[in-house]
Amino acid sequence: MEVRVEGGIVALGGSVESGVKRLAARVAAEAVCGLGCVRNEIRVANEADCATPGSLR
């Protein structure tokens, strides 16, 4: 996973094993004081983990 900060904006990138880990990275980045926003570009290796309950795939 990659983390870049520029001008108060955090950009998350790379790849993780699950949607839960992607979400955890975003939540952790959003908890840092003084940041403007978080751009979450992390890819999930298993796309089925990103499906929302009840969604059609």
Side-chain angles (χ1 to χ4, degrees), residues 47-48 50-57:
E47 290 295 324
C50 286
T52 57
S55 68
L56 298 176
R57 291 195 113 217

Side-chain angles (χ1 to χ4, degrees), residues 21-41:
K21 289 183 179 183
R22 182 179 191 270
L23 176 61
R26 189 195 81 210
V27 170
E30 288 176 345
V32 177
C33 292
L35 297 176
C37 68
V38 175
R39 192 170 66 222
N40 193 349
E41 299 172 352

